[in-house]
Amino acid sequence: MGVASAIFLVIVTIFCPPIAVFAIAGCGADLLINICLTLLGYIPGHVHAFYLEYVYYDRRERLRQGSIVTDRAPGVYSSNVQNGGNPHGYGTIVQPNSS
C-alpha cells in the first residue's frame, strides 16, 4: 500500500471507521470492537480506527527499514496489523511440528 492507498484509507475512516478497520484488520475482534465503539459514540470508533491504522503503517515502515518489532501493540488483536501486513510474520524459520 502506497501513499495514495493510505490517504484513501484515511478518507474512508472519516466517513465509516468499521470499513477501514475491515480493510486493514479483516473480520475479527478488532472489527467487532470498532463496530461497538462506533455505535456507542462516533468519536471512539474513529480513535480506535486511527490507532489501528497508525500501528499498521508504523509496523509496515519499520519492516521496510529492516527493523524487527517483537513487542505486541496493546489493544490490537489482528495479526495482520501486528505484523504490518506481512503475512509471514517476522521470522523465516519454519516452526517445528509438535506431533
Side-chain angles (χ1 to χ4, degrees), residues 24-98:
I24 62 169
C27 186
D30 287 321
L31 179 63
L32 180 64
I33 290 169
N34 191 268
I35 290 171
C36 290
L37 286 171
T38 303
L39 290 175
L40 290 173
Y42 204 57
I43 300 299
H46 277 88
V47 171
H48 181 254
F50 282 122
Y51 173 68
L52 290 178
E53 289 172 22
Y54 169 75
V55 170
Y56 177 79
Y57 283 111
D58 181 55
R59 301 278 169 116
R60 189 174 190 94
E61 185 60 31
R62 286 186 188 183
L63 205 66
R64 283 194 187 128
Q65 293 174 352
S67 175
I68 296 175
V69 181
T70 57
D71 59 331
R72 294 183 58 83
V76 178
Y77 300 100
S78 169
S79 62
N80 189 42
V81 175
Q82 291 286 357
N83 296 334
N86 184 10
H88 305 294
Y90 292 117
T92 56
I93 300 173
V94 176
Q95 297 296 323
N97 281 338
S98 60

